Amino acid sequence: MRIVGHQAERLEIDRLLKSAADGCGGTVVVAGEAGIGKSTLVDTAVATVDGFTVLRAAGTEFEQDLLYAALHQLCAPLLEYRLRLPAVQQRVLEVVFGLGSQTSPDPLMVGSGVLALLREAAKERPVCCVVDDAQWTDDASRRALTFVARRVAADRVAVVFAARDAGSVPGIADLPRVVLTGLADEDARLLIGTAGRSGLDAEVFDRILAEAHGNPLALLEFTGHVGPFGEPGRRRSGFTVVEALREQYAHRFQLLPAATRPLVILAAAEPIGDIGLLGRAAGRLGLDISDLALAEGAGLLTMGPRLRFRHPLVRSAVYASASAQTRRDVHGALAEATDPHVDSDRRAWHRAHAIVDADENVAAELVRSADRARLRGGFAAAAAFMERAGELTPEPVHQVERLLAAARLRLQAGAPNEARALVARAERHPMGEERRAQARLLRARIDYQLVHSPQATATLVDVVTQSAPEQARETYLEAFASFMYNENEPGRLHDLGARIREQLPRRDLVRPADLLLNALLDQVMLPVEQAVVAMRAAAQACRSADDKAEPWRMNLLCQLAIDLHDDELMEEIADRQVDVARREGILATLPQALRYQAIARVSVGRFHEAAACLEESRAVDQVAGTVPVVGPQLVLAAFRGDVERHRELVKLMGRGNRPVEIAGEHYATTVLHNGLGNYEDALAAALAAQRRHQAGLYSIWAVYPELVEAAARCGRTAEADVAMAHLEALARANPVPWAVAEWSQARALLGHEDDCEALYRQAVELFAQTRIGILHARARLTYGEWLRRESRRADARVELRAAHGMLSRMGADAFAERAARELRATGEQPDPQDEDALNLLTAQERLIVERVAAGATNKEVAQLLFLSPRTVDAHLRSVYRKLGITSRRQLRKIVR
């Protein structure tokens, strides 16, 4: 196949395919107006490469609402490869292709499954995925395919999208792009000459050149259909090239015999081009499918294993030319010819387009299609089915019910404005009080999702109380928790809490969710000693609950465990939610679960594991395109004493970030400066956190012992009064070792009591009973510092030596250096600590090492981090070179 023009763009695709064959895949989007030559360019490039498995899919206007329609086209030839994949990915793919029963697969896991499928196929031959008319692919398929497109750089996989207005297509707008423009006059003349149409009058030829604007399809169409005396075809002035092409196709369609035209309309209404289905449908209309040969002869379509129109413009022109009744007739025939057991959703879609009046049977079938799409995670497709069902429902009560259901699905699909429009449509119909209450609640939820403002939150609380009391407590918990971590105006959090407390009697609080809400309300609104009772009750109830709680609730529980100083529960919940997210393939919630696991690892002094958790969460965030939460990274940088990283992260947070991030910054900055010995700066950050807490805003309780240490070192002990009151109240109400140890250490640091040594020793002993290794080491440091100032050098050396060793091994460099300075002041040089060989590794290499040392294969690590096995193998080779080892056994030994 010869192509005229667009040589530079052709070379770009050729380079992509050659690179993919060599194991360095990639993606390109070929963009340009209809008829500009996108498909021809891609087809020509793909046809010239040998040894590739070429997979194709094409979006159509008619299938944008059919769930996974494009993925079915693209991946059907590879389905047997799913049997080689891990169970989670295998189950997800089976759901996508209608072979399994799992419900609501995580969208990221769908993308991960498709990527793994392509990688398996690429082990045998390079793979080229061609997605034509990407602007019309269904939302679920496009998300999965763009996920793949961003992850194939180290695979034998090339992905080529063709789209008209690529910049407006979600997901592909920022992918590498080549833009096709009109041919230059010289190339246009060459194209027409190559097509054997060079014998035109010069004036006619020049006029066609001017009208076509270099569009190859227009050049061929306009020169191929001139008047009987060589004049150009009649085209209305003011038309764009695409509009002129569409008009010309419609005109050629109208010239077909009357018996052929309904057949072409039938084909235009059937997006797959299934000849067998078209034949059965034609028979129901009393037509003979062999008459399509005349349309083929007219250059409108081609017959083969699949019927294909010459161009999508032909399909749209033909369909638009048909009368409404003819369209209904052909859709009805296609619905009758479609096997309901094989393709029930497409059958329902055709039936919905075959009627004009309300029809409960068709509406009920659409509802069933919506339910299937919802269970497979396709909320946008489910909403489209449900919306059409509502339009076709004859009974007003059911119509309102289905329109509201469609609104809920639109909201779940992340389209709140469309959801609001559906609620408005429902409200135009008569509705009973129950439905009116549902509409009010939906409006409140939509407003809350759009702005999360105090007004929207308060309205949601009021509406759910009045309209849906059975949902009230769940909504209260969601709204209050969100407000708690996102409110930055003093007083508003207390106002919302008071509003909820009025509606929430303390009696009958049995469910874990109810107890958790009660605990959060008390934690914000009551003194510590009174709040602890509800907090402990919630922690105990949630601890014994199953793993089915929403992930954001698990996050709340993990934070509650930290505030309660329950070290065992902190690690247990952090590990549990990561395990659940991985086991169930819930990648959307995995990053936050990993961040809490990282905080737990920092607390116990396993900084390298914390860094691995944060690196994994970063990888998943990057895949999902979400903005990561910076707080846990700040905390790790602070305990490591990494000033540059801390500064970089604070800058990354920027202004106006979420209040929960501000709370994290205050805490991390206090820790960092306490480690560095910059006690004035530490105290300033801690006092800022205290002011937020006193103003009724969320603040991290762990900042209070840091505040006391900073105030004591600055000689400003009066500044520690509020913090001391908090620590004492917590220790008395919740006398667990961690809480009592912090209070004892704070009292010792202030030095207001007679027997400070007993308090220091008690703190050290109690911290030793917990898993909180970093605070145990710091307790020994502060005890050693006190002993040196008491001129008890020998005793001080024991504590400082131990603290220095513990802190150095953890990687708490600033605190370790503080211990080293104190040791030198006693006349002893600190023992040189063996350099941790793993410090030579990058964050991603360290994460890979952690997983491999735990027994994971390269393939398992690749799936975990959305990398190719080849990339993991390359990282391991780099690790072996840096560490001077040659085997996994040696690697495990170093990690241990």
Side-chain angles (χ1 to χ4, degrees), residues 287-601:
L287 302 172
D288 185 350
I289 195 170
S290 64
D291 287 343
L292 279 173
L294 295 172
E296 187 173 27
L300 294 175
L301 52 83
T302 56
M303 304 285 282
R306 296 275 177 185
L307 182 147
R308 295 186 66 181
F309 281 91
R310 170 169 170 73
H311 192 274
L313 287 175
V314 180
R315 182 194 295 276
S316 60
V318 167
Y319 193 79
S321 299
S323 68
Q325 185 57 51
T326 302
R327 290 183 207 169
R328 288 193 289 271
D329 290 343
V330 298
H331 279 297
L334 287 166
E336 291 177 19
T338 300
D339 187 341
H341 302 294
V342 174
D343 205 345
S344 54
D345 292 341
R346 189 169 274 110
R347 180 177 184 272
W349 182 86
H350 281 303
R351 288 192 72 192
H353 285 76
I355 60 175
V356 65
D357 295 323
D359 186 313
E360 178 56 29
N361 288 332
V362 176
E365 190 170 347
L366 288 166
V367 169
R368 289 191 289 273
S369 291
D371 287 341
R372 283 191 291 271
R374 177 180 56 79
L375 291 173
R376 293 162 66 199
F379 293 113
F385 278 121
M386 191 64 77
E387 181 176 349
R388 184 61 175 151
E391 293 167 351
L392 296 178
T393 301
E395 208 279 312
V397 172
H398 288 157
Q399 185 177 42
V400 167
E401 178 184 337
R402 286 165 179 170
L403 288 173
L404 292 177
R408 277 189 288 273
L409 289 165
R410 288 289 183 203
L411 189 60
Q412 287 178 284
N417 289 317
E418 289 88 339
R420 179 184 280 164
L422 283 166
V423 173
R425 284 172 59 186
E427 288 175 331
R428 288 196 287 269
H429 298 276
M431 58 173 72
E433 186 53 42
E434 182 181 351
R435 293 288 177 257
R436 197 166 298 285
Q438 290 177 2
R440 282 197 301 270
L441 180 58
L442 253 175
R443 274 193 178 280
R445 284 195 178 280
I446 291 165
D447 291 343
Y448 173 72
Q449 184 162 316
L450 279 169
V451 294
H452 270 73
S453 68
Q455 168 122 25
T457 308
T459 300
L460 177 60
V461 168
D462 288 343
V463 170
V464 77
T465 302
Q466 300 162 10
S467 304
E470 74 285 353
Q471 301 176 32
R473 292 182 182 181
E474 302 285 338
T475 305
Y476 294 158
L477 177 58
E478 178 185 355
F480 189 74
S482 173
F483 212 60
M484 179 176 174
Y485 292 120
N486 290 285
E487 180 50 41
N488 220 4
E489 290 294 325
R492 286 179 172 173
L493 187 59
H494 272 258
D495 290 345
L496 178 63
R499 191 187 293 261
I500 293 173
R501 179 59 78 196
E502 289 175 5
Q503 309 297 333
L504 183 72
R506 290 185 181 273
R507 64 182 185 280
D508 302 328
L509 296 179
V510 178
R511 297 183 311 155
D514 297 341
L515 293 167
L516 186 55
L517 171 60
N518 190 52
L520 293 181
L521 289 170
D522 282 3
Q523 185 178 3
V524 167
M525 302 176 67
L526 296 179
V528 176
E529 61 273 15
Q530 296 178 40
V532 163
V533 176
M535 292 169 68
R536 290 175 66 177
Q540 187 56 42
C542 294
R543 184 178 211 157
S544 56
D546 60 29
D547 292 335
K548 300 302 182 183
E550 287 87 345
W552 57 268
R553 283 197 208 158
M554 298 285 278
N555 294 337
L556 292 175
L557 179 59
C558 198
Q559 187 60 55
L560 195 71
I562 294 170
D563 289 339
L564 277 173
H565 290 31
D566 188 333
D567 50 308
E568 291 186 7
L569 181 62
M570 173 190 69
E571 280 208 287
E572 178 187 324
I573 296 299
D575 291 348
R576 189 204 299 179
Q577 64 174 343
V578 169
D579 290 343
V580 170
R582 285 203 180 116
R583 185 173 68 247
E584 302 295 332
I586 313 173
L587 295 187
T589 65
L590 182 57
Q592 187 65 356
L594 285 163
R595 284 188 277 270
Y596 269 105
Q597 191 175 54
I599 291 171
R601 295 296 187 265

Side-chain angles (χ1 to χ4, degrees), residues 7 60 94 117 179 210 229 254 274 370 396 461 531 633 660 711 727-728 730 771 792 813 829 851 858 862 891:
Q7 295 304 314
T60 66
E94 288 172 350
L117 194 70
V179 180
F229 300 103
Q254 294 297 339
D274 185 332
V461 168
Q633 298 179 63
V660 67
L727 293 173
E728 179 179 3
L730 180 60
R771 305 181 184 189
R792 293 167 56 182
D813 295 341
Q829 288 298 318
R851 298 292 172 256
N858 286 14
L891 184 64

